[in-house]
Amino acid sequence: MSDVNGSVPAAATPVRRSRDVPMLVDRARAGDHRAVARLITLVESGDETLPAIAAALAPYAGQAQVVGLTGSPGVGKSTTTNELVRALRARGRRVGVLAIDPSSPFTGGAILGDRVRMQDHATDPGVYIRSMSSRGHLGGLSAATPQAVRVLEGAGCDVVLVETVGVGQAEVEVASLADTTLVLLAPGMGDAIQAVKAGILEIADVFVVNKADRDGADATVRDIQGMIALGERGPGEWRPQVVRAVAVRGEGVDDIAAAIDKHRGWLVEHDELRRRREARAAAEIEAIALGVLRARIGSLRDGTQLPALAAEVAAGATDPYAAANTLLTQLTR
Amino acid sequence: MSDVNGSVPAAATPVRRSRDVPMLVDRARAGDHRAVARLITLVESGDETLPAIAAALAPYAGQAQVVGLTGSPGVGKSTTTNELVRALRARGRRVGVLAIDPSSPFTGGAILGDRVRMQDHATDPGVYIRSMSSRGHLGGLSAATPQAVRVLEGAGCDVVLVETVGVGQAEVEVASLADTTLVLLAPGMGDAIQAVKAGILEIADVFVVNKADRDGADATVRDIQGMIALGERGPGEWRPQVVRAVAVRGEGVDDIAAAIDKHRGWLVEHDELRRRREARAAAEIEAIALGVLRARIGSLRDGTQLPALAAEVAAGATDPYAAANTLLTQLTR
């Protein structure tokens, strides 16, 4: 876990009690970067204070535009994120960045190297940057990611960028989390064809063809536009935008910011923002509920009910379905 | 799905109502192979009759010894299973075989080719053979596998062999399902070292060094015995047996059967059979309970409760943890 501005390792965090949470949230709201970092550490560690944090943050839900940014390794995600932060800051927005590393429990190696460039923003009080691990969770994104987004919303961010490597499930998951999803491609990586295969066409609101000064950029743009043209969409439906960029030189980054704004306008106009966010909240509630139930079953394992039922099943006195029903009535007390 | 004796595809199965289940179970108990095949098809398809089938089979729980048989591709699992069935029949046992194919929804190709040899037993009323797919399930084994074992127990099998390819999770899962786990190795496959890596040493009750007429067999046996000697075990704890076999010539197969019997005796003597079966029943009950809860949440999604809660969360009127709690109280009505 790296944190350019104001990192505090979990072990050093004294806040472990729910009663301390409102104070911490107040400090985060007042712009205290250390408080923001602590809150994210707490939600990331699945701390028992999670419900209290969620409750304290609830009033600020939906205040930020959540932008997902995904793409294969090497397309320039970190550089694009870095320049996009700059462009959004120039527009006066407060920006949060969550960089999800799907492969490592620690943010080291290449990712840390990339992050170093983020130090451009290290002294800017209007920018929060945080790397999060996704290891140990099913799928690509951590279960804590939606809560971390809420922390950044609560801290007053107007935009939260969630950056994930587009491998496996992560890109689909980031789309389900985001209001607007950017898919980054680069010329000559065969990405356009892969995009169709991976179902990226369905999740991308904006395609960014980065490294657009390279050979093959025109062909990549043409391929994507061809695919978009083939896609069926009803009247008023969003037509994915295609933006060229050379992020390393800052070129096209204002166009990306403009495309994000345009999509935001479309979302609001078509009541799609509300619909997406309600769907997201529903998935989040479901996941929490299932987690609670699994934990309750776990605690019953140590109690008397499950062992007794298991003994009955093993002895042939009842069957596992009947026993599961009995267990379920136990769970609900 | 292949079934050498008495296969009936699911589509042709008229039994879809729970009230028909007791009749089907009676026929299976009387030795009707078609009834056994139908019951397994029903449990495999996750049919709504599952709870009724489980209830009807409950009284016969624990009557069979469940033997797991696992190993890498090419060690001779099918041949060994085939010869083991012969040896067990010679001892007067009724035998059921579940061959789990982790890669294919259909049993075709090499597996079907292997199964053909099982036709040795096709006319023997004391042998049931069934291939099951494990695709679409988390981990290696199908959720239906424990229920299929119960069907074969109910049909009067004294021994149920569950054969899985030792890749990924399947070998660990088969051990959690079995009273006795056989791990097959072959000389010169680097298996002994892999065994340590994969944690096979912990799950194996009996090691079978198959193809023991090949070069390197002595070294493989020595390696395994060395590893067993290194393992810590308390007084009275089972020490894994090592058996040499050349299954293709039937050599050593009686020794495998004897090792299985010996392990069975140890299990009973140390009250370990009861303990293992209760742990297995507990895991089965848990899995069924979680499945039921997940289905209930799914049906709430279509009702009014979850959408309303999601709208409240999206609007900042409540938080997802509080909403999950409300949802959970709904689930329990």
Side-chain angles (χ1 to χ4, degrees), chain B residues 69-85:
Chain B
L69 199 145
T70 189
S72 305
V75 295
K77 284 183 298 300
S78 292
T79 310
T80 305
T81 300
N82 191 31
E83 293 302 315
L84 195 52
V85 169

Side-chain angles (χ1 to χ4, degrees), chain A residues 46-302:
Chain A
D47 193 86
E48 61 184 18
T49 54
L50 249 170
I53 293 171
L57 292 171
Y60 318 112
Q63 299 193 347
Q65 183 177 9
V66 183
V67 177
L69 201 144
T70 188
S72 305
V75 295
K77 284 183 299 299
S78 291
T79 311
T80 304
T81 301
N82 191 30
E83 293 302 315
L84 195 52
V85 170
R86 196 188 306 277
L88 292 165
R89 289 297 293 140
R91 292 169 181 231
R93 315 279 173 82
R94 291 169 68 88
V95 185
V97 176
L98 292 173
I100 316 289
D101 173 358
S103 63
S104 167
F106 305 102
T107 301
I111 302 261
L112 186 59
D114 291 343
R115 275 317 126 207
V116 168
R117 272 185 286 161
M118 290 285 190
Q119 297 214 355
D120 291 0
H121 309 293
T123 56
D124 182 346
V127 179
Y128 298 85
I129 296 169
R130 175 72 168 228
S131 293
M132 290 178 76
S133 161
S134 66
R135 182 173 278 188
H137 296 276
L138 290 170
L141 289 197
S142 158
T145 310
Q147 304 309 319
V149 169
R150 287 174 191 282
V151 170
L152 292 172
E153 268 184 330
C157 291
D158 302 301
V159 178
V160 176
L161 299 174
V162 183
E163 179 194 321
T164 63
V165 179
V167 283
Q169 276 291 95
E171 60 206 5
V172 177
E173 285 180 34
V174 81
S176 75
L177 182 76
D179 302 323
T180 299
T181 301
L182 308 187
V183 173
L184 267 65
L185 306 168
M189 294 182 70
D191 275 307
I193 291 137
Q194 279 178 15
V196 182
K197 280 193 196 155
I200 275 186
L201 197 59
E202 282 76 51
I203 64 159
D205 300 307
V206 178
F207 283 102
V208 176
V209 178
N210 194 26
K211 306 184 181 181
D213 54 344
R214 290 204 185 164
D215 282 352
D218 289 344
T220 302
V221 170
R222 215 165 35 235
D223 284 355
I224 298 162
Q225 281 173 336
M227 293 191 318
I228 293 168
L230 285 172
E232 287 176 26
R233 59 188 68 81
E237 229 175 307
W238 175 255
R239 184 186 175 94
Q241 305 284 292
V242 184
V243 179
R244 289 163 176 265
V246 186
V248 77
R249 294 202 301 262
E251 292 173 20
V253 176
D254 277 324
D255 296 338
I256 302 173
I260 292 171
D261 279 353
K262 189 178 174 188
H263 187 246
R264 165 84 180 197
W266 176 87
L267 286 170
V268 172
E269 192 187 331
H270 291 79
D271 203 26
E272 181 70 12
L273 191 63
R274 187 191 56 76
R275 202 197 59 72
R276 285 193 186 196
R277 287 178 169 187
E278 289 183 8
R280 191 189 312 165
E284 209 180 326
I285 296 166
E286 272 188 16
I288 293 167
L290 270 178
V292 169
L293 291 168
R294 198 171 280 125
R296 282 194 203 164
I297 289 178
S299 63
L300 280 180
R301 197 181 246 289
D302 304 326

Side-chain angles (χ1 to χ4, degrees), chain B residues 30-244:
Chain B
D32 179 344
H33 278 229
R34 290 176 60 93
V36 173
R38 281 191 190 177
L39 283 169
I40 295 182
T41 298
L42 288 171
V43 302
E44 203 178 19
S45 62
D47 193 85
E48 60 185 18
T49 54
L50 248 171
I53 293 171
L57 292 171
Y60 317 112
Q63 300 194 346
Q65 183 177 8
V66 183
V67 177
L69 199 145
T70 189
S72 305
V75 295
K77 284 183 298 300
S78 292
T79 310
T80 305
T81 300
N82 191 31
E83 293 302 315
L84 195 52
V85 169
R86 196 188 306 277
L88 291 165
R89 290 298 292 140
R91 290 168 182 233
R93 314 278 172 83
R94 293 170 67 89
V95 185
V97 177
L98 292 173
I100 316 289
D101 174 358
S103 64
S104 167
F106 305 103
T107 301
I111 301 265
L112 186 59
D114 291 344
R115 276 317 127 210
V116 168
R117 270 184 289 161
M118 290 286 189
Q119 296 215 356
D120 292 359
H121 308 293
T123 56
D124 181 345
V127 180
Y128 298 86
I129 296 170
R130 175 70 167 230
S131 293
M132 290 178 76
S133 162
S134 66
R135 181 173 280 190
H137 297 277
L138 289 171
L141 288 196
S142 159
T145 309
Q147 303 310 318
V149 169
R150 286 175 191 282
V151 170
L152 292 172
E153 268 184 330
C157 290
D158 302 301
V159 178
V160 177
L161 300 174
V162 183
E163 179 193 323
T164 63
V165 178
V167 283
Q169 275 293 95
E171 60 205 6
V172 177
E173 285 180 33
V174 80
S176 75
L177 183 76
D179 301 324
T180 300
T181 301
L182 309 186
V183 173
L184 267 65
L185 306 168
M189 293 181 71
D191 275 307
I193 291 139
Q194 279 179 15
V196 182
K197 282 192 195 157
I200 275 185
L201 197 59
E202 281 77 52
I203 65 160
D205 300 307
V206 178
F207 284 101
V208 176
V209 178
N210 193 28
K211 306 184 182 182
D213 54 345
R214 290 202 184 166
D215 282 351
D218 289 343
T220 301
V221 170
R222 214 164 37 233
D223 284 354
I224 298 162
Q225 281 172 335
M227 294 191 317
I228 292 169
L230 285 173
E232 287 176 25
R233 58 190 69 81
E237 229 175 306
W238 175 254
R239 185 187 174 92
Q241 305 284 293
V242 184
V243 179
R244 289 165 176 263

Side-chain angles (χ1 to χ4, degrees), chain B residues 257-268:
Chain B
I260 293 171
D261 279 352
K262 188 177 175 189
H263 187 247
R264 164 86 181 195
W266 177 87
L267 287 170
V268 172

